[in-house]
Amino acid sequence: MARSNDEVEALLREYADLIAITGGDAFKARAYEKAARAIGGHPFDVSRLGQQDLRKIPGVGRSIAEKVEEYLRTGTVGAVEQRREAIPAGVRELIAIPTLGPRKAMTLYEDLHVSSVAELAEAIRAERLGGLKGFGKKTEENILHGIELMEQAGARIPLGTAMDPAEEIVAELSRLTGCAHCAYAGSLRRVRESVGDIDILVAARRADPFMAALGELPSTAEVIARGTKKTSIRTVQGVQVDLRVLPPRSWGAGMQYFTGSRAHNIRTRTIAVHRGLKLSEYGLFDMDSERSVASHTEEEVYARLGLPWIPPTLREDRGEIEAGLRGELPEVVTERDIRGDLHTHTSLTDGLAPLDEMVAAAARRGLRYYAVTDHAPDLAMQRMTDEKALAQRERVRELDGAHRGMRLLHGTELNIGPDGEVDWPEDFLAGFDLCVASLHSHFGLGRRAMTRRLVRACEHPRINVIGHPTGRLIGKRPPVDADWDEVFAACARTGTALEVNAQPDRLDLGDEDILRAKEFGVRFAVDSDAHSVLHLAQLRYGVGTAQRGWLTPRDVINTWPLGRLRGFLAKGRKR
């Protein structure tokens, strides 16, 4: 079922949008956004907390706590309903468009009577926005691109959204008597940034108990179809789940077949045919005798095809078959290889947990080193100062090695300005152990200016990592337009790593950019960008994305021992 925390987070985010649409206090809207993030990232179920405990969550005061209690008690909040009634449904539809803010949505409704996405697209094509203040040609292009992003996303589900119900269902079905194996497959197992639906496989001698159990799970909203070999349901989150039950002897073949991708499977079936074999979800069979020659494990199936086992994240027909046949398949980076996290936040800026809690949680995850990189002063809303940074550094030094021997690095996440400048002068930055620099504004700069901006950041002697380099938010904001070959070359030349940001709405760099950047000799940092204790676990999404980009531990700086990492962070400077 959907976590109460997630439901409350969505409600408070909507309320913040409604406040912004109606011209309400911007500070109040930001307060509700911050409270929404805090509740979404809170480790305990808010439905079990009283008001006093709710108010201990960062950013949750008396008024917000009362609204949370009202929602959990009644399923609605009067103040939210009042705001909804004051705003036409069409305006609420418009603000779902990436790149279109609440104020502009209201202007479109009031001045042009536009109340749907289709009407807005038509108004732009008919050039009806020309006379509206604040709606220039560039704005129109951005809105159309936002509509395209919505259409591309369609019914696809973000990776992070799909993973929770998939793991819940696997856990529930694995408990049933007779379950030999249970796992998710498909594009979720390949760690694609979004999935069409969730594929669950079970190995068991009898299918009926599993088909029945899936339909009765608390997270199941609707049984779409039920059969002897396959049952499809829709979860309360609106995600379709397809369950297939296979004989235990076919487990390996079934996992290979249903993991995909389609292009990869075409290649493996072609190899099978050339060897006089037939490959299906039930096994690999001799074409003449129909005798099974491999089926129990994926390793058996691939070996019989003359291939090593291929990690699911590589199965996209992007050269993995050829590399396997040549014996040159990479040993891709795994979560076990990650020694440290180089991009995290605390409640000193926009994180949800204080420094001590984040450090303790990171140590419990077995990290050997950990960097705190709160925002620098140019993001004014975070209210960072020199004095706050120095005080934090002192506390970081006190905590260094205090939790399971984990070493601490004091860093900062700088803002890359429109000309490539960053927040603090070089002499102040010299006191940090590492500097991450990221784009947080001016996403619409032209290609040449954006390229120059990023290259200049790479050339800064104190910048070690470019954080979430393209600035994309999946399904919400497109990547910035830059000459990425020039940026990749600058990273390789200056010894600046590119981040693989693990936040599931970023996954930035994406796999195709990683593949390209690796050709230039770029190094990478796979980071959680955690803003709460729960976010630390999202590092796995970054690792999966890194695998899809064929990265090995040699390519990823935070798999290295701390001594070697410090040498890289020196960026060629004498110490």
Side-chain angles (χ1 to χ4, degrees), residues 3 14 98 106 111 124 154 194 219 221-223 231 260 358 400 488 556 561-562 569:
R3 294 173 66 234
E14 180 188 0
M106 197 65 177
D111 293 4
I124 293 173
S194 65
S219 58
E222 172 192 7
V223 177
T231 290
M358 292 297 290
D400 185 23
F488 297 156
V556 179
L562 183 56
L569 298 177

Side-chain angles (χ1 to χ4, degrees), residues 469-483:
T470 75
R472 74 169 182 171
L473 292 174
I474 297 170
K476 297 179 181 178
R477 185 170 68 211
V480 298
D481 185 17
D483 182 339

Side-chain angles (χ1 to χ4, degrees), residues 105-347:
M106 197 65 177
T107 298
L108 288 165
Y109 179 81
E110 291 177 340
D111 293 4
L112 295 181
H113 307 295
V114 168
S115 59
S116 72
V117 174
E119 288 178 4
L120 177 54
E122 178 58 33
I124 293 173
R125 285 192 288 267
E127 300 183 350
R128 292 172 54 205
L129 274 61
L132 293 181
K133 184 179 179 181
F135 286 85
K137 200 67 180 173
K138 185 66 175 177
T139 302
E140 292 182 8
E141 291 174 2
N142 288 340
I143 293 172
L144 285 174
H145 189 73
I147 294 172
E148 288 175 13
L149 286 174
M150 284 183 69
E151 292 172 347
Q152 288 169 8
R156 293 192 69 81
I157 309 138
L159 173 64
T161 302
M163 189 63 77
D164 286 345
E167 291 184 331
E168 284 180 16
I169 291 169
V170 167
E172 291 292 337
L173 297 183
S174 295
R175 295 189 182 101
L176 297 183
T177 301
C179 179
H181 303 284
C182 182
Y184 54 81
S187 49
L188 187 60
R189 188 177 178 221
R190 302 201 311 277
V191 197
R192 289 199 61 182
E193 62 192 40
S194 65
V195 305
D197 50 34
I198 297 171
D199 294 299
I200 304 287
L201 295 189
V202 165
R205 297 188 185 283
R206 295 179 59 235
D208 281 352
F210 299 91
M211 302 303 189
L214 179 66
E216 294 168 3
L217 291 178
S219 58
T220 298
E222 172 192 7
V223 177
I224 300 171
R226 178 174 171 180
T228 57
K229 296 182 179 180
K230 175 183 172 183
T231 290
S232 298
I233 61 102
R234 198 176 315 281
T235 70
V236 293
Q237 300 101 330
V239 181
Q240 180 170 326
V241 178
D242 296 331
L243 169 66
R244 294 173 176 86
V245 180
L246 298 168
R249 65 179 180 276
S250 298
W251 176 250
M255 283 296 286
Q256 193 280 329
Y257 183 90
F258 287 110
T259 294
S261 65
R262 181 172 180 273
H264 176 86
N265 284 357
I266 288 172
R267 296 294 305 280
T268 54
R269 288 200 297 271
T270 300
I271 292 172
V273 169
H274 288 164
R275 289 172 171 252
L277 303 170
K278 179 182 178 181
L279 179 61
S280 74
E281 65 265 43
Y282 295 106
L284 191 59
F285 300 89
D286 182 274
M287 202 172 287
D288 294 327
S289 67
E290 298 188 357
R291 179 179 60 88
S292 174
V293 298
S295 64
H296 287 84
T297 68
E298 285 190 317
E299 287 82 357
E300 285 180 2
V301 172
Y302 279 109
R304 190 65 179 77
L305 295 174
L307 290 163
W309 178 79
I310 298 176
T313 45
L314 299 187
R315 300 180 195 177
E316 299 289 352
D317 191 24
R318 295 195 291 207
E320 73 277 6
I321 298 290
E322 291 79 3
L325 292 171
R326 294 194 306 267
E328 297 175 359
L329 203 66
E331 293 286 338
V332 290
V333 63
T334 69
E335 197 169 355
R336 290 188 302 274
D337 296 317
I338 301 294
R339 295 172 183 250
D341 197 338
L342 301 182
H343 182 179
T344 69
H345 296 274
T346 75
S347 55

Side-chain angles (χ1 to χ4, degrees), residues 21-51:
I21 292 171
T22 53
D25 180 19
F27 178 80
K28 183 178 181 181
R30 285 198 299 272
Y32 275 91
E33 287 176 358
K34 184 174 182 179
R37 284 193 301 107
I39 288 172
H42 193 64
F44 301 109
D45 187 344
V46 293
S47 68
R48 300 183 180 182
L49 302 181
Q51 184 167 142

Side-chain angles (χ1 to χ4, degrees), residues 37 342-356 358-359 370-379 382-385 388-393 396 409-415 423-424 428-429 432 434-438 440 529-532:
R37 284 193 301 107
L342 301 182
H343 182 179
T344 69
H345 296 274
T346 75
S347 55
L348 184 63
T349 56
D350 61 343
L352 305 178
L355 172 66
D356 294 47
M358 292 297 290
V359 170
Y370 179 78
V372 178
T373 55
D374 275 316
H375 289 287
D378 277 3
L379 287 181
Q382 308 304 342
R383 301 177 181 175
M384 176 59 86
T385 64
K388 287 182 179 180
L390 293 173
Q392 184 185 66
R393 181 175 302 160
V396 167
L409 303 173
H410 188 233
T412 180
E413 185 182 11
L414 302 165
N415 184 56
D423 312 53
W424 273 307
F428 191 82
L429 293 178
F432 289 98
L434 83 158
C435 296
V436 178
S438 308
H440 294 110
D529 192 6
H531 285 66
S532 74

Side-chain angles (χ1 to χ4, degrees), residues 398-433:
E398 291 172 358
L399 291 171
D400 185 23
H403 290 274
R404 307 187 184 194
M406 185 179 72
R407 303 302 306 275
L408 297 183
L409 303 173
H410 188 233
T412 180
E413 185 182 11
L414 302 165
N415 184 56
I416 303 174
D419 294 321
E421 74 279 7
V422 294
D423 312 53
W424 273 307
E426 187 179 342
D427 60 346
F428 191 82
L429 293 178
F432 289 98
D433 295 312

